[in-house]
Amino acid sequence: MSNSSGAANGNDSKKFKGDIRSPGIPSRVIHVRKLPNDINEAEVISLGLPFGKVTNLLMLKGKNQAFIEMNTEEAAQTMVTYYSSVTPVIRNHPIFMQYSNHKELKTDNSPNQVRAQAALQAVNAVQTGSMTMASVDTSGMGAHSPVLRIIVENLFYPVTLDVLHQIFSKFGTVLKIITFTKNNQFQALLQYSDGLTAQHAKLALDGQNIYNACCTLRINFSKLTSLNVKYNNDKSRDYTRPDLPTGDSQPTIDHQAMAAAFGRMLSCCCLLDFVIMVPVGLTMPGVPGALASLAIPGAAAAAAAAGRLSFSGLTSGQCVLLVSNLNPEVSTFLTQPHVPLLHCVYGDVMRVKILFNKKENALVQMADATQAQLAMSHLNGQKLHGKALRVTLSKHTNVQLPREGQEDQGLTKDFSNSPLHRFKKPGSKNYQNIFPPSATLHLSNIPPSVVEDDLKQLFASSGALVKAFKFFQKDRKMALIQMGSVEEAIQSLIEFHNHDLGENHHLRVSFSKSTI
């Protein structure tokens, strides 16, 4: 590659016209386009780190482009395949890449390339441990704290300290982790040995889902530069101090029990978007044996994500719930057209059947196993009409409709064609607004003519207590309303979701994570 110095300064655009290679012809060199103006070398290098070693880098800052050379063609192929299905984003800019016509990079001693080589040295030093960060000139690359603050949004499945360690260890040595709950969100502080490793992990994992459409990682740099861990248990861990006590009030986690529970839980989960987790010992057809570990990042995750592999046992069956301990006098409410929306908060209800001889029990068929798991985990134990619901997975694989001419007494209903389903589209954004039942409800699709008193009177008309109300400042089509209890909120959601407010506006009601 001649004249790389001029190209790196953006003065030789003709040299790189038509450089993008056909997607079917792999090369170790990858052409990266539409980079943000203020991007640094470390951020570009981080695009390739999950897939293998980055051996060379050519920055074309004047053109918002770069060339990344991987150590093997296989690593480059995995990287391009993965990013063709998951668009990388740096500083809110989507990044695009394809194979280059060049088989390798030949760089010179221009200032831009000296800087790029320094960044590569820093990365290699950290990855191999052969140097400390102080040994490498990384001036201008930006200094970051080695401590990351992690928030897990849409927490539908358990995320443990050990899960975080498995995921983040793929980018470097994790020294300490502290987990906690704040503002009703599961959070963690995680410390690496240096800021560059933390930056690589943040770039690769920020915004990724641990599980399909849920458990989204939101990552920022912490103001802290070191964590003070007092106990080694299921809430905090100092991996440099195995001698720390467990703490009287926080017993150590039973790893075997957790592994068993985690394996059972994952039998109802979908694939992870970035990090694939499967029960220990589960084999995946067509994937090398190295993938059958608890947490699989990098090339393995990319290959699986790009190939959309199916995992036997993860999504089949178990989409039917057994809902019991219903009040027999009101159990038939489940078959009314508007009522299954209680479950539709957590997934789309296909069919409902009240058991003929046990009318306090009902079978509810969800669209898939993941939605059944969501409904079960959020609704089991919640009170409805004065009785605590029991929601478990049924042995039935579907709810049978009555045969033609068979008397059913209206106990079986088919909602598969309901226009009120919230999750028809795969990966629907509605998954991002799923929260456990709470006394505060989120209201949306409110017409301009409806004022606060109208909505308060509506929700009080069923005999429930309205404790507080607040319109959103920036969007008065939405509001929060706080009921007297979680049970009243559940009953209000059932009664008023899809309520006609006039002007062709039907009220949308869901549970909120906020309080008033």
Side-chain angles (χ1 to χ4, degrees):
M1 184 178 295
S2 61
N3 296 326
S4 59
S5 176
N9 287 293
N11 298 323
D12 195 2
S13 59
K14 293 182 180 180
K15 286 285 180 184
F16 294 93
K17 281 188 176 180
D19 184 79
I20 298 174
R21 197 178 185 86
S22 167
I25 307 176
S27 166
R28 286 198 302 127
V29 180
I30 298 167
H31 185 189
V32 186
R33 299 176 291 119
K34 297 196 175 180
L35 295 169
N37 292 327
D38 53 350
I39 195 168
N40 62 46
E41 287 79 358
E43 289 172 305
V44 177
I45 295 169
S46 294
L47 291 168
L49 285 180
F51 307 94
K53 185 178 180 180
V54 178
T55 53
N56 210 343
L57 173 68
L58 175 63
M59 296 290 291
L60 311 179
K61 287 197 172 182
K63 299 177 62 184
N64 302 99
Q65 298 180 25
F67 289 84
I68 298 175
E69 181 185 282
M70 303 299 291
N71 62 330
T72 66
E73 193 173 283
E74 181 184 6
Q77 190 171 3
T78 305
M79 177 179 171
V80 171
T81 302
Y82 177 69
Y83 285 135
S84 66
S85 60
V86 181
T87 303
V89 177
I90 297 179
R91 305 192 185 193
N92 297 318
H93 281 69
I95 310 301
F96 302 94
M97 61 185 70
Q98 281 184 276
Y99 299 116
S100 167
N101 281 323
H102 302 279
K103 284 292 186 180
E104 63 178 4
L105 290 178
K106 294 180 181 179
T107 54
D108 54 27
N109 293 322
S110 65
N112 280 337
Q113 294 319 302
V114 171
R115 180 188 177 105
Q117 292 306 309
L120 277 172
Q121 290 176 27
V123 170
N124 290 331
V126 172
Q127 294 294 309
T128 63
S130 60
M131 291 185 180
T132 63
M133 286 298 296
S135 306
V136 184
D137 180 12
T138 58
S139 58
M141 292 176 56
H144 294 289
S145 167
V147 178
L148 296 176
R149 178 172 176 257
I150 304 159
I151 298 175
V152 183
E153 296 181 348
N154 311 320
L155 186 68
F156 303 149
Y157 302 111
V159 175
T160 66
L161 181 148
D162 290 325
V163 169
L164 293 175
H165 184 264
Q166 291 278 359
I167 295 171
F168 284 83
S169 288
K170 305 305 177 179
F171 296 88
T173 302
V174 176
L175 302 183
K176 304 171 185 178
I177 303 178
I178 298 174
T179 63
F180 55 95
T181 300
K182 183 178 181 181
N183 298 328
N184 293 322
Q185 289 182 312
F186 177 80
Q187 302 188 30
L189 293 170
L190 184 145
Q191 181 180 341
Y192 281 113
S193 57
D194 57 80
L196 188 59
T197 304
Q199 184 181 24
H200 296 160
K202 179 184 182 300
L203 287 168
L205 296 175
D206 186 27
Q208 300 291 346
N209 294 331
I210 299 179
Y211 305 110
N212 187 28
C214 65
C215 296
T216 307
L217 294 170
R218 302 296 180 194
I219 305 172
N220 289 295
F221 293 104
S222 171
K223 294 180 180 179
L224 300 173
T225 56
S226 182
L227 298 179
N228 181 22
V229 176
K230 296 181 179 179
Y231 305 111
N232 282 341
N233 50 42
D234 59 331
K235 301 295 183 185
S236 62
R237 197 81 51 85
D238 185 339
Y239 296 93
T240 68
R241 292 282 310 279
D243 58 315
L244 288 178
T246 60
D248 295 336
S249 60
Q250 295 178 315
T252 56
I253 190 168
D254 185 334
H255 292 280
Q256 289 185 338
M258 174 56 72
F262 199 49
R264 288 193 298 272
M265 179 273 292
L266 284 172
S267 67
C268 298
C269 290
C270 294
L271 295 179
L272 287 79
D273 286 354
F274 184 79
V275 181
I276 300 171
M277 292 190 177
V278 295
V280 176
L282 176 66
T283 58
M284 295 175 276
V287 184
L291 299 191
S293 59
L294 185 62
I296 309 164
R308 301 298 180 201
L309 300 176
S310 60
F311 290 65
S312 59
L314 288 186
T315 56
S316 61
Q318 291 193 296
C319 18
V320 178
L321 298 169
L322 174 62
V323 183
S324 56
N325 203 36
L326 292 165
N327 187 326
E329 296 179 2
V330 296
S331 62
T332 53
F333 85 100
L334 279 174
T335 61
Q336 301 307 308
H338 67 290
V339 173
L341 290 168
L342 170 62
H343 293 281
C344 285
V345 172
Y346 302 113
D348 296 332
V349 172
M350 299 291 105
R351 295 174 182 173
V352 173
K353 181 181 183 68
I354 306 296
L355 302 190
F356 182 79
N357 294 322
K358 295 182 179 180
K359 289 188 170 59
E360 68 276 11
N361 297 331
L363 295 175
V364 179
Q365 181 178 338
M366 307 299 292
D368 58 45
T370 302
Q371 294 181 8
Q373 179 75 23
L374 289 175
M376 180 178 69
S377 62
H378 286 301
L379 295 175
N380 185 43
Q382 297 293 338
K383 281 191 175 182
L384 187 63
H385 295 287
K387 301 194 72 174
L389 291 175
R390 287 201 295 268
V391 185
T392 58
L393 291 173
S394 168
K395 63 181 180 181
H396 297 280
T397 56
N398 59 73
V399 172
Q400 294 285 345
L401 292 174
R403 298 187 185 91
E404 187 175 351
Q406 181 180 356
E407 180 61 35
D408 182 66
Q409 299 183 5
L411 297 179
T412 306
K413 293 290 183 180
D414 186 359
F415 299 101
S416 56
N417 294 319
S418 171
L420 303 177
H421 288 164
R422 304 189 191 204
F423 306 96
K424 288 181 180 179
K425 296 181 180 179
S428 167
K429 289 185 177 180
N430 286 326
Y431 278 108
Q432 301 175 16
N433 297 314
I434 295 179
F435 303 104
S438 65
T440 304
L441 297 172
H442 180 275
L443 313 180
S444 60
N445 203 35
I446 303 169
S449 60
V450 173
V451 297
E452 177 177 335
D453 285 343
D454 295 331
L455 291 168
K456 289 168 72 173
Q457 289 176 17
L458 175 67
F459 278 78
S461 64
S462 63
L465 172 65
V466 177
K467 296 181 68 175
F469 182 92
K470 182 176 72 173
F471 270 112
F472 281 55
Q473 290 183 351
K474 294 183 179 180
D475 187 355
R476 289 184 65 85
K477 294 179 181 178
M478 297 190 293
L480 295 176
I481 188 167
Q482 185 176 343
M483 310 306 295
S485 66
V486 174
E487 183 178 0
E488 287 187 345
I490 291 174
Q491 292 178 206
S492 296
L493 183 148
I494 292 171
E495 186 160 354
F496 298 117
H497 179 84
N498 207 47
H499 181 83
D500 189 353
L501 294 175
E503 303 177 35
N504 200 28
H505 283 67
H506 287 77
L507 185 65
R508 299 287 180 258
V509 185
S510 59
F511 297 113
S512 173
K513 65 178 180 180
S514 305
T515 56
I516 303 176

